[in-house]
Amino acid sequence: MKKYDYLIVGSGFFGSVFANLAKKAGKKCLLIEKRSHIGGNSYTEEKNGIMVHVYGAHIFHTSNEKVWSFVNQFASFNHFINCPIAKYKDEVYNLPFNMNTFSKIWKDVITPKEAKDKIALQSKGIKEITNLEEQAISLVGTDIYNILIKGYTEKQWGRSCKDLPAFIIKRLPLRFTYDNNYFNDRYQGIPIEGYTKMFENMLEGIDQKCNANYFDNKEYYDSLATKVVYTGAIDEFFDYCYGELAYRSLYFKESVLEEDNFQGVAVVNYTEKEVPYTRIIEHKHFAFNNCKGTIITKEYPASWGKGKEPYYPINDENNNNIYEKYANLAKEKSNVLFGGRLANYKYYNMDKVIESAFEMAIQEFGANII
Ligand code: UDP
């Protein structure tokens, strides 16, 4: 008889949600985490009275009622709505692409019809969509592509927009209304006491161990539980036998400033290629915090190699094909369940990770678990 029903590797959303539901089903779990803290990249830390999003902005949004009521068991959310600003040279523009953006870029555009006509004129050369550049121009025309998309995307991903999959740009809403909300979802907000507290509440009563790298002692950890829920990189799990999957990495530079309000908004995107960072976040604005001083973080895109943090999967055709081979191997391992952004090699938002953890819990424990 093993000591645990499930060994859960990784304490981000997938592992933590699954652990919570497994406990609810009466299962005994051990959760291990290689970092010194739980919560994955959603981890927050309080500094100088400001809740800092240590691994970049995490704004929770969903249209799924079940996901929203699930997370609300563990945290109260504030009424934050993400309305980022894009800075290009000496001008600022509203995001996502909406009537405020169009009327600022095109002085002769005020109505939705005028914006649509302008876009139709600028995108008429696009006959077929095979990459991000064609997708972007067909959606918003060449001016917006050049000012707000090309530079940002190419530094973010480290490759030409012509070599990137079209779906990435479709993450952003495109609206013909004067509405600066970056998301279309029904529910949105930030946990008032921080994400870390929310994870602590979700994991209450579950055995957990930080600074514990599964691969340092795989045999031992495997011996503890009947099943493993693995949320790390799938290529690493299979010892890169089909080669490495590509990721994009990031690094962050945090500064504590004496001034009280550095940029007047939580997120400013820097869309010129020449500026080395993609965005600056000012953490206090996520929380409507009026305290003295402020903390900002610059987010720099970076190439990925073994040992660096794999933030974004690069879901082009070549990598997706490699992933499929790993996914087929994964199917053969009946005692290991794979989930989350790294194990599914998928550019997931937080709510989608939760939905996929729900699906796995339903498979394991039945539909009543949610
Ligand atoms: N994007 C852009 N300009 C912007 C913001 C985003 O061109 O000012 C593009 C870029 O290609 C980026 C994608 O839209 O990778 C998705 O942006 P999102 O904000 O969803 O990225 P995330 O928050 O996941 O890093």
Side-chain angles (χ1 to χ4, degrees):
M1 197 38 195
K2 307 240 186 185
K3 192 169 172 205
Y4 293 101
D5 298 302
Y6 293 93
L7 168 78
I8 296 164
V9 181
S11 65
F13 267 108
F14 193 93
S16 301
V17 170
F18 186 88
N20 177 276
L21 295 172
K23 178 171 182 266
K24 187 174 164 192
K27 305 294 178 190
K28 203 153 184 326
C29 301
L30 171 65
L31 182 142
I32 60 170
E33 165 58 56
K34 71 176 172 187
R35 287 180 177 162
S36 59
H37 60 75
I38 57 167
N41 292 339
S42 314
Y43 174 69
T44 47
E45 210 171 75
E46 198 174 323
K47 282 186 199 163
N48 302 353
I50 296 170
M51 199 55 83
V52 173
H53 295 220
V54 174
Y55 301 94
H58 281 75
I59 300 147
F60 199 90
H61 56 99
T62 188
S63 294
N64 183 323
E65 297 271 352
K66 286 188 172 155
V67 167
W68 187 239
S69 38
F70 179 82
V71 292
N72 274 272
Q73 294 172 78
F74 312 109
S76 292
F77 283 75
N78 69 14
H79 62 284
F80 179 80
I81 299 284
N82 191 27
C83 298
I85 296 289
K87 186 164 185 295
Y88 179 82
K89 300 199 169 151
D90 291 330
E91 279 293 354
V92 291
Y93 302 91
N94 290 109
L95 290 174
F97 314 120
N98 73 83
M99 289 307 302
N100 289 303
T101 331
F102 306 142
S103 59
K104 174 97 183 234
I105 288 200
W106 299 311
K107 300 297 169 214
D108 54 344
V109 166
I110 289 176
T111 67
K113 181 177 182 309
E114 286 162 354
K116 285 181 185 173
D117 288 349
K118 183 74 90 180
I119 291 169
L121 190 70
Q122 294 197 353
S123 64
K124 69 175 191 294
I126 304 290
K127 303 287 175 238
E128 197 194 349
I129 291 165
T130 59
N131 59 43
L132 194 151
E133 177 172 289
E134 290 158 354
Q135 179 70 81
I137 294 173
S138 84
L139 289 171
V140 293
T142 45
D143 287 342
I144 291 181
Y145 172 67
N146 286 320
I147 296 172
L148 298 178
I149 299 177
K150 190 174 191 299
Y152 185 98
T153 300
E154 293 190 345
K155 67 182 167 184
Q156 162 79 5
W157 293 96
R159 50 169 92 176
S160 159
C161 287
K162 293 191 176 78
D163 298 325
L164 283 164
F167 83 88
I168 293 177
I169 201 66
K170 293 199 91 178
R171 289 173 54 82
L172 305 194
L174 164 63
R175 284 193 202 110
F176 293 91
T177 53
Y178 285 89
D179 174 0
N180 294 325
N181 185 348
Y182 201 64
F183 303 114
N184 281 328
D185 284 320
R186 176 153 178 206
Y187 305 107
Q188 184 171 170
I190 309 273
I192 292 170
E193 293 183 73
Y195 282 92
T196 306
K197 183 75 186 152
M198 179 172 97
F199 278 89
E200 281 167 11
N201 291 341
M202 209 183 286
L203 295 174
E204 205 184 300
I206 292 164
D207 287 353
Q208 45 196 285
K209 200 167 181 282
C210 287
N211 299 305
N213 187 334
Y214 177 59
F215 294 109
D216 285 349
N217 223 336
K218 186 169 179 303
E219 259 178 50
Y220 164 72
Y221 287 124
D222 285 343
S223 75
L224 297 177
T226 312
K227 280 191 178 178
V228 175
V229 175
Y230 176 79
T231 74
I234 193 164
D235 50 353
E236 186 178 8
F237 185 91
F238 292 109
D239 210 12
Y240 305 99
C241 65
Y242 295 127
E244 283 176 25
L245 288 164
Y247 301 89
R248 189 72 176 148
S249 197
L250 298 173
Y251 65 93
F252 300 97
K253 283 190 186 166
E254 198 179 292
S255 314
V256 177
L257 306 179
E258 273 181 23
E259 63 193 284
D260 293 337
N261 188 2
F262 171 74
Q263 62 184 19
V265 64
V267 183
V268 179
N269 287 4
Y270 287 77
T271 59
E272 287 163 73
K273 199 161 186 190
E274 294 68 31
V275 177
Y277 40 87
T278 46
R279 42 194 170 193
I280 300 183
I281 60 175
E282 186 171 9
H283 302 269
K284 69 191 303 185
H285 295 308
F286 290 119
F288 310 98
N289 183 336
N290 288 321
C291 68
K292 286 254 153 258
T294 195
I295 301 180
I296 62 165
T297 299
K298 290 181 178 161
E299 180 174 323
Y300 295 79
S303 58
W304 180 83
K306 271 190 210 170
K308 279 199 186 170
E309 283 296 332
Y311 282 97
Y312 294 97
I314 302 183
N315 288 113
D316 61 12
E317 206 183 324
N318 178 41
N319 286 302
N320 287 346
N321 288 338
I322 300 175
Y323 168 71
E324 279 311 316
K325 290 190 192 172
Y326 285 121
N328 285 332
L329 275 189
K331 277 186 208 140
E332 289 164 20
K333 288 200 116 9
S334 57
N335 61 338
V336 185
L337 306 170
F338 294 81
R341 178 179 51 103
L342 296 175
N344 291 161
Y345 196 63
K346 205 164 169 188
Y347 190 175
Y348 272 132
N349 283 334
M350 292 179 276
D351 63 327
K352 297 294 170 200
V353 178
I354 297 175
E355 277 175 22
S356 72
F358 282 0
E359 278 161 30
M360 190 170 283
I362 289 170
Q363 256 176 45
E364 292 291 290
F365 316 122
N368 290 339
I369 197 67
I370 306 302

